[in-house]
C-alpha cells in the first residue's frame, strides 16, 4: 500500500487528529523517565498543510525499523548527550550547532508553544525564536538519529515547504512549526518556519531574525 493511502487512512480516522497526536506526545514526555518523544510529524506539501500530518511513530512503524528511528530526546543544560544528535552546521562561535526545540510560554494564550531552535553545546543552551527575541532554554529536546542521511535540508523560500517536511513543533494555536536553517553573518542559524509568517526565523545574538530564503528539514525517503 502506498504511504499516501495510509496517510489518508490515518487522517480519516477521527481519533487521530494532529492535536491528539501532539497531546499523546506530551503525555509520553511527562510520563517516561527516558523522555523519548515521538511527536515528530511529517507534513505533505499541499495547499492545506494543516490537514496532512502523520506521527513519527507511525512513520517508523511503516518503515519497520527502529534502528532508523528519528526522535526527540529531552535533556537539560546540566546533563545532555550529543551522541546521535542531528548537527545543523557551524554556529556563531565556530562550534557545531544542533537542532533543538523547547516549550516556550505564549504571550497571547495560556498554552505553551513548542518551538524549534538552535542548540549551543558550549553553554548547553537551546535558543528558540519568539516575540522578536532569542529565548534561551535550559530544558529542551534534541533531534536524535543514528542515520542522518535519512534527513535532508531542502532549499525553499517564502513559507513554502517540501514533500516530507518534518514538523518540529506547534504554536499555542496548534499551527505547525517546521525546522529551518539559514545563514547570517556567515554562520548557521537553526529555527522555525511559521507558515502564517511566510518566512523562517531563528535566534541571532539575542534577537529573533527573519529570512525569506531558508532550508527546510525533510525526510529523504518519505515516498517509500
Ligand atoms: C545524566 O543523565 C544520565 C542519563 O540519563 C543519568 O544516568 C545521570 O544520572 C544524569 N546525571 C545527572 C547528574 O543528573
Ligand atoms: C550560548 O552560546 C551562544 C554561542 O556563543 C550564544 O549566542 C548564546 O547567547 C549563549 N547563551 C547563553 C544563555 O549564554
Ligand atoms: C537555493 O539557495 C540559493 C542560495 O543559497 C539560491 O540562490 C537559489 O535560488 C535557491 N534555489 C531554490 C530552488 O530556491
Amino acid at each position: 500500500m502506498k504511504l499516501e493511502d495510509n496517510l489518508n487512512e490515518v487522517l480519516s480516522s477521527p481519533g487521530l487528529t494532529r492535536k491528539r497526536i501532539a497531546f499523546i506526545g506530551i503525555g509520553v514526555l511527562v510520563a517516561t523517565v527516558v523522555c523519548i518523544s515521538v511527536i515528530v510529524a511529517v507534513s505533505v506539501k499541499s495547499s492545506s498543510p494543516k490537514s496532512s500530518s502523520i506521527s513519527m511513530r507511525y512513520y517508523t512503524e511503516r518503515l519497520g525499523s527502529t534502528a532508523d528511528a528519528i526522535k526527540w530526546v529531552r535533556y537539560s543544560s546540566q546533563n545532555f548527550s550529543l551522541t546521535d544528535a542531528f548537527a545543523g552546521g557551524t554556529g556563531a562561535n565556530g562550534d557545531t550547532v544542533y537542532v533543538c526545540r523547547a516549550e516556550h510560554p505564549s504571550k497571547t494564550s495560556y498554552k505553551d508553544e513548542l518551538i524549534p531552535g538552535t542548540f549551543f553545546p558550549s553553554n548547553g543552551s537551546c535558543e528558540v525564536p519568539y516575540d522578536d527575541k532569542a529565548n534561551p532554554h535550559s530544558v529542551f529536546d534534541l533531534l536524535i538519529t543514528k542515520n542522518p542521511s535519512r534527513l535532508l535540508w531542502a532549499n525553499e523560500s517564502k513559507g513554502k515547504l517540501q514533500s516530507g517536511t518534518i514538523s518540529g513543533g506547534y504554536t499555542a494555536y496548534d499551527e505547525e512549526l517546521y525546522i529551518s536553517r539559514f545563514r547570517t553573518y556567515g554562520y548557521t542559524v537553526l529555527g522555525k518556519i511559521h507558515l502564517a509568517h511566510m518566512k523562517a526565523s531563528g535566534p541571532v545574538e539575542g534577537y529573533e531574525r527573519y529570512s525569506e530564503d531558508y532550508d527546510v528539514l525533510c525526510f529523504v525517503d518519505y515516498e517509500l
Side-chain angles (χ1 to χ4, degrees), residues 72-151:
W72 295 100
V73 177
R74 177 134 310 181
Y75 287 118
S76 73
S77 299
Q78 286 73 41
N79 197 6
F80 63 87
S81 163
L82 293 177
T83 305
D84 298 331
F86 185 69
T90 303
N93 60 4
D95 287 349
T96 300
V97 287
Y98 296 81
V99 173
C100 68
R101 68 176 186 185
E103 283 160 16
H104 190 77
S106 165
K107 283 207 308 182
T108 53
S109 164
Y110 67 93
K111 286 183 66 184
D112 285 350
E113 309 229 333
L114 184 60
I115 306 176
T118 306
F119 179 69
F120 301 97
S122 53
N123 52 22
S125 182
C126 171
E127 299 206 344
V128 301
Y130 184 77
D131 192 26
D132 293 329
K133 298 192 236 343
N135 304 275
H137 282 264
S138 56
V139 176
F140 51 83
D141 300 330
L142 291 180
L143 187 63
I144 303 295
T145 174
K146 289 195 184 305
N147 191 354
S149 63
R150 295 266 309 282
L151 299 172

Side-chain angles (χ1 to χ4, degrees), residues 7 26 31 45-46 68 72-73 78 82 103 105 138 141 151 158 170 173-174 202 206 212 218 223:
L7 183 58
I26 291 169
K45 185 176 185 178
S46 77
D68 272 0
W72 295 100
V73 177
Q78 286 73 41
L82 293 177
E103 283 160 16
S138 56
D141 300 330
L151 299 172
K158 296 182 179 162
Y170 41 80
Y173 303 96
D174 284 330
E212 279 199 344
C218 306
E223 303 296 341

Side-chain angles (χ1 to χ4, degrees), residues 51 54 125-126 134 152 157 198 214-215:
S51 66
I54 60 174
S125 182
C126 171
L152 69 83
S157 66
M198 313 273 281
Y214 50 81
D215 296 333

